[in-house]
Amino acid sequence: MPILPKPRRIRFDYGDKTGLKTGVDRHYVQGDLVMSHIVAVLSAMFPEGEDFFVRSVRRFSDQVTDPELKAQVAGFIGQEVTHGREHRALNDRLQEMGYPTRRVDRVAKRALRLYEKRLPALSCLAVTAALEHYTAALAETLLTDERALALLGESEVRSVLLWHAFEEAEHKSVAFDVYRAAGGSERRRIKTMRFMTFSFLFGVTLHTVLSMLADRATYNPKRLFKSIAALRHSPFLSKEVVDRIKDYNRIGFHPEDNDNTELLQRWSAELFGEQGTLAANMR
């Protein structure tokens, strides 16, 4: 049974413009060149993406009659609004550090507004469900793979991403269930996912390349090739992650096919318990 998403009042402290509490190294993902740019690009996409998700789900909230799903929708919206706020604060710091987060944010806003202008509302909801599957798969990889956790070091970015990952895993089925309640078909759902796979990966790749071209470290061949080689073995690009994302295209798929109840219970205590690593961030 899906867990009720819980909006949390939380704040993060990103330190000064040079370090995000990691010292003077601009490349805050354990000094890794490519991954630092990828994470910055994803963070830059999140605020407009979260706003789009909220609008897409709200358009169909009156068609949700199940009281449990109604409560989940309210929790989903509360969580996504907070995600957008905190990533905007993080993106301001990343911009100061030289990452083009404002440009990526503007492009994401234009693209998502175009979707809303050109696509039926149900297709926008299908886009939301598809992208929520991506974020849930990546989030649960972060929460289950020690290699993924090690990439984040001890910076405040680690804290933000762990919190965000936990809540994405917590509400992973909400948009999907609203899509079903609104009468969305399997054909539209799968077709939309195939389109979004191309669109999402193309967008992340393009913005990452453009971001790296403005970074002097990119022109150090030794460092660049070492980082690209490491990317090939990234836990986020493993066969397990790819297979899990592709599973969305299976007829009859549901996000809760992958039960994460024990994972959420463990991380809830570790992050938000009395001695949790994020207990001091709660407001």
Side-chain angles (χ1 to χ4, degrees):
M1 180 179 294
I3 293 174
L4 181 65
K6 178 183 177 181
R8 296 170 177 85
R9 298 181 62 189
I10 194 166
R11 292 284 183 180
F12 297 93
D13 178 10
Y14 303 105
D16 64 29
K17 68 179 182 179
T18 59
L20 294 168
K21 292 190 171 182
T22 63
V24 297
D25 190 357
R26 174 187 177 187
H27 304 105
Y28 54 94
V29 183
Q30 292 293 77
D32 188 281
L33 173 66
V34 177
M35 279 303 299
S36 294
H37 282 272
I38 289 175
V39 172
V41 165
L42 289 172
S43 182
M45 290 179 168
F46 281 141
E48 289 298 331
E50 311 285 13
D51 290 350
F52 174 85
F53 297 166
V54 168
R55 292 193 300 269
S56 297
V57 169
R58 272 183 172 154
R59 287 190 187 98
F60 292 92
S61 59
D62 60 341
Q63 298 186 31
V64 176
T65 58
D66 178 63
E68 184 177 353
L69 183 54
K70 276 184 174 293
Q72 291 167 357
V73 167
F76 168 85
I77 290 173
Q79 287 185 338
E80 296 290 51
V81 168
T82 308
H83 295 172
R85 182 195 72 206
E86 288 304 317
H87 275 280
R88 284 186 173 93
L90 171 58
N91 293 341
D92 287 343
R93 303 302 185 273
L94 291 170
Q95 180 73 35
E96 291 173 351
M97 292 169 66
Y99 294 94
T101 53
R102 290 175 191 159
R103 183 186 70 204
V104 176
D105 178 84
R106 289 194 300 270
V107 173
K109 182 175 183 177
R110 287 197 296 266
L112 294 171
R113 288 294 184 180
L114 184 62
Y115 285 169
E116 290 177 304
K117 182 178 180 181
R118 299 289 179 86
L119 297 177
L122 191 58
S123 291
C124 289
L125 184 56
V127 168
T128 295
L131 291 177
E132 282 287 301
H133 179 64
Y134 261 98
T135 56
L138 296 176
E140 291 183 11
T141 299
L142 179 60
L143 297 175
T144 56
D145 194 316
E146 290 296 331
R147 297 173 301 159
L149 281 171
L151 284 173
L152 299 181
E154 300 300 327
S155 73
E156 194 77 341
V157 175
R158 173 192 173 96
S159 298
V160 175
L161 294 183
L162 281 175
W163 158 72
H164 192 167
F166 178 86
E167 293 195 344
E168 288 296 329
E170 199 172 40
H171 68 228
K172 67 178 181 178
S173 65
V174 176
F176 188 98
D177 286 340
V178 174
Y179 175 78
R180 276 191 170 179
S185 68
E186 290 286 83
R187 182 175 182 273
R188 187 195 297 260
R189 176 180 69 80
I190 294 170
K191 184 177 179 181
T192 300
M193 180 56 161
R194 288 173 177 163
F195 171 75
M196 291 312 301
T197 293
F198 169 79
S199 178
F200 176 69
L201 295 179
F202 176 80
V204 171
T205 301
L206 176 63
H207 285 300
T208 299
V209 170
L210 293 175
S211 180
M212 290 179 62
L213 288 174
D215 186 342
R216 291 178 60 185
T218 301
Y219 300 93
N220 180 329
K222 182 177 180 181
R223 186 169 186 185
L224 176 63
F225 294 141
K226 180 180 178 181
S227 185
I228 292 174
L231 184 65
R232 293 171 52 203
H233 303 288
S234 170
F236 297 105
L237 297 177
S238 68
K239 183 178 184 301
E240 290 77 13
V241 174
V242 172
D243 287 346
R244 182 173 171 193
I245 290 173
K246 289 169 62 177
D247 192 41
Y248 190 91
N249 295 327
R250 171 174 54 84
I251 297 291
F253 166 85
H254 191 278
E256 297 300 329
D257 292 343
N258 181 46
D259 185 6
N260 65 359
T261 305
E262 291 185 7
L263 179 69
L264 290 175
Q265 290 173 344
R266 175 167 66 86
W267 277 100
S268 178
E270 188 162 334
L271 295 175
F272 310 113
E274 187 174 340
Q275 302 299 322
T277 57
L278 297 183
N281 296 80
M282 303 297 287
R283 296 290 184 266

